[in-house]
């Protein structure tokens, strides 16, 4: 299937989606949007990656635009103030770089380096100002990006974001041990861990500074809001697993829904792929129903008071961006060079990563 896509250049291109990965409902019912700040966003994030030494100049020049990290965020947080979107995009780019470091620490057998990095990231998350000049670019990059994110909403939001990301760091540690020990989690164990390693609640938290409004706990935790938020993230995580399965099999990964289905449910690879696709499609149909309930919830919140009107409006903005996540994630996986395993010289070593022994100095 083909569809018109913005891609990572100013000229729209036609992207061919492999039939096994095509989702006609996304292309028909989830029109893609792109934040108008995107061209500058791409330039600024590229410069930030260089400034913070998160990628070498050669890697930035060759791969940064083609990885489409800024496209992913610019297609999600529509309506965000430019400075909010920039902070989110830089944090997202950092997240991908951190994910690659985690992978390389596993591949090269660097448990001591990983343990040091994990502890430093916990510290940088709580006290970013103390780590802005840290010698490890991954530590300094997190400190800079979260310091900026913490400037937009009250301390209560900051504390929640930090709490959620501390849990993500610990989940990455569990993944580190699973991979080094060759442990394939069961399907239920994997789904629980995936909600953390994909950072479901981090990307959901970031809907609020994009809307310029911290939602009260009673609103965020209401099933009418929480369900579409979770479905949008589950779709993204499982579609990512579907698209990245060849890459992760090539890299002897143990963390992929398909790998858990084959290992623990006795499925063939073809059956596992069909099961994953079914789960992805169910997420979409369930979201369409949950989206309508969330919008009715927003209408109920808008009770005629100033506070009710503001809260209802913020919920509508957040729900609209939950919807945007579907199309943004979908096209990202077909535009980004992150998943083009067949074009790599070594299917287990992405060409955009720093494969040196960083961290064992």
């Amino acid at each position: 299937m083909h569809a018109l896509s913005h891609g990572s250049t100013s000229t729209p291109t036609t992207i061919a989606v492999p039939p096994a990965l095509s989702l006609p409902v996304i292309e028909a019912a989830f029109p893609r949007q792109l934040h108008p700040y995107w061209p500058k966003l791409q330039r600024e994030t590229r410069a930030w990656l260089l400034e913070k030494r998160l990628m070498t100049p050669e890697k930035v020049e060759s791969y940064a635009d083609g990885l489409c990290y800024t496209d992913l965020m610019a297609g999600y947080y529509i309506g965000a103030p430019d400075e909010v979107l920039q902070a989110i995009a830089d944090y997202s780019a950092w997240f991908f770089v951190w994910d690659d470091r985690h992978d390389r620490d596993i591949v090269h057998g660097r448990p001591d380096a990983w343990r040091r990095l994990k502890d430093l990231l916990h510290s940088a998350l709580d006290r970013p100002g103390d780590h802005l000049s840290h010698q490890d670019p991954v530590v300094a990059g997190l400190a800079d990006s979260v310091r900026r994110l913490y400037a937009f909403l009250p301390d209560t939001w900051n504390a929640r974001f930090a709490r959620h990301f501390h849990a993500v760091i610990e989940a990455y540690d569990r993944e580190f041990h699973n991979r080094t020990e060759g442990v394939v989690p069961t399907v239920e164990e994997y789904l629980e861990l995936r909600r953390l390693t994909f950072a479901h609640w981090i990307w959901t938290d970031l809907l609020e500074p994009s809307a310029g409004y911290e939602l009260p706990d009673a609103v965020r935790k209401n099933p009418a809001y929480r369900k579409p938020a979770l479905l949008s993230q589950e779709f993204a995580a499982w579609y990512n697993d579907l698209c990245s399965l060849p890459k992760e099999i090539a890299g002897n990964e143990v963390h992929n829904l398909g790998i858990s289905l084959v290992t623990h449910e006795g499925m063939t690879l073809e059956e596992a792929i069909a099961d994953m696709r079914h789960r992805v499609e169910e997420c979409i149909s369930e979201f369409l129903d949950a989206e309508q309930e969330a919008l009715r919830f927003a209408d109920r919140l808008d009770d005629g008071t100033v506070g009710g009107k503001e809260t209802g409006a913020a919920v509508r903005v957040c729900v609209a961006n939950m919807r945007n996540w579907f199309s943004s994630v979908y096209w990202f996986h077909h535009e980004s060079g992150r998943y083009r395993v067949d074009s790599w010289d070594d299917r287990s070593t992405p060409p955009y990563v720093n494969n040196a022994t960083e961290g064992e100095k």
Side-chain angles (χ1 to χ4, degrees):
M1 182 170 293
H2 291 73
L4 198 64
S5 164
H6 291 280
S8 58
T9 69
S10 58
T11 305
T13 55
T14 301
I15 300 297
V17 180
L21 300 174
S22 71
L23 295 171
V25 66
I26 294 292
E27 300 183 23
F30 292 78
R32 188 180 189 185
Q33 300 187 69
L34 204 62
H35 197 292
Y37 179 67
W38 172 74
K40 186 173 183 182
L41 181 74
Q42 187 185 52
R43 293 194 298 272
E44 292 295 323
T45 294
R46 190 192 309 129
W48 185 79
L49 287 166
L50 282 170
E51 177 193 345
K52 299 301 175 186
R53 298 179 293 117
L54 287 162
M55 292 177 73
T56 65
E58 295 77 17
K59 299 287 188 187
V60 169
E61 178 66 26
S62 298
Y63 299 109
D65 289 355
L67 290 169
C68 301
Y69 296 159
T70 54
D71 304 45
L72 179 63
M73 295 297 111
Y76 185 16
Y77 298 103
I78 303 298
D82 292 354
E83 64 272 18
V84 172
L85 184 61
Q86 187 67 65
I88 292 173
D90 290 350
Y91 169 74
S92 172
W94 171 86
F95 202 120
F96 281 111
V97 172
W98 172 52
D99 184 75
D100 292 335
R101 167 79 78 84
H102 174 260
D103 176 70
R104 295 297 95 184
D105 279 349
I106 293 166
V107 168
H108 293 296
R110 303 193 294 243
D112 291 342
W114 165 251
R115 190 162 48 250
R116 283 196 299 272
L117 178 60
K118 173 178 74 80
D119 292 344
L120 284 164
L121 294 179
H122 280 304
S123 298
L125 185 59
D126 287 335
R127 297 180 300 280
D130 296 345
H131 296 78
L132 294 172
S133 300
H134 196 278
Q135 63 181 358
D136 187 329
V138 173
V139 176
L142 177 65
D144 181 74
S145 58
V146 299
R147 177 184 59 86
R148 289 154 61 201
L149 291 172
Y150 287 168
F152 300 123
L153 290 177
D155 288 345
T156 46
W157 184 90
N158 297 346
R160 188 207 324 154
F161 180 92
R163 184 172 69 252
H164 286 161
F165 198 64
H166 280 305
V168 171
I169 295 168
E170 287 303 307
Y172 264 69
D173 189 51
R174 294 201 295 279
E175 180 176 332
F176 186 98
H177 292 293
N178 282 348
R179 287 182 62 189
T180 55
E181 295 163 17
V183 175
V184 178
T186 67
V187 172
E188 288 309 311
E189 289 169 343
Y190 175 76
L191 294 178
E192 180 182 353
L193 186 60
R194 185 64 164 139
R195 290 178 183 125
L196 293 170
T197 58
F198 196 83
H200 281 24
W201 301 117
I202 290 294
W203 308 119
T204 303
D205 286 337
L206 289 168
L207 292 168
E208 294 168 61
S210 299
Y213 192 86
E214 182 184 18
L215 294 174
D217 281 357
V219 172
R220 285 191 308 105
K221 294 179 180 179
N222 190 293
Y225 181 84
R226 196 172 178 87
K227 184 174 182 179
L230 180 60
L231 286 167
S232 73
Q233 296 297 321
E234 299 278 64
F235 164 81
W238 298 344
Y239 192 67
N240 174 267
D241 277 9
L242 189 61
C243 293
S244 63
L245 187 57
K247 169 178 178 257
E248 292 176 346
I249 289 174
N252 294 316
E253 254 279 18
V254 298
H255 274 228
N256 184 290
L257 178 55
I259 294 170
S260 288
L261 288 167
V262 168
T263 304
H264 293 289
E265 303 296 323
M267 293 186 185
T268 64
L269 185 59
E270 291 73 19
E271 289 169 340
I273 290 170
D275 182 282
M276 294 164 73
R277 185 180 173 93
H278 177 69
R279 289 172 188 252
V280 164
E281 290 170 341
E282 276 198 326
C283 272
I284 300 169
S285 61
E286 288 183 23
F287 175 82
L288 292 171
D289 291 335
E291 177 186 36
Q292 293 308 307
E293 178 53 37
L295 294 174
R296 288 190 289 269
F297 176 52
D299 289 343
R300 294 194 297 273
L301 290 168
D302 191 351
D303 58 4
T305 65
V306 172
K309 183 175 183 179
E310 289 179 345
T311 304
V315 167
R316 290 187 195 96
V317 170
C318 291
V319 172
N321 281 336
M322 292 173 197
R323 161 177 273 273
N324 288 331
W325 194 223
F326 286 83
S327 58
S328 192
V329 163
Y330 180 72
W331 290 116
F332 169 71
H333 281 87
H334 303 299
E335 294 172 356
S336 175
R338 196 171 176 87
Y339 305 99
R340 293 182 188 149
V341 180
D342 292 337
S343 69
W344 301 351
D345 292 337
D346 176 354
R347 288 170 62 88
S348 66
T349 305
Y352 48 82
V353 302
N354 177 6
N355 202 39
T357 54
E358 182 85 43
E360 286 292 358
K361 298 172 184 174

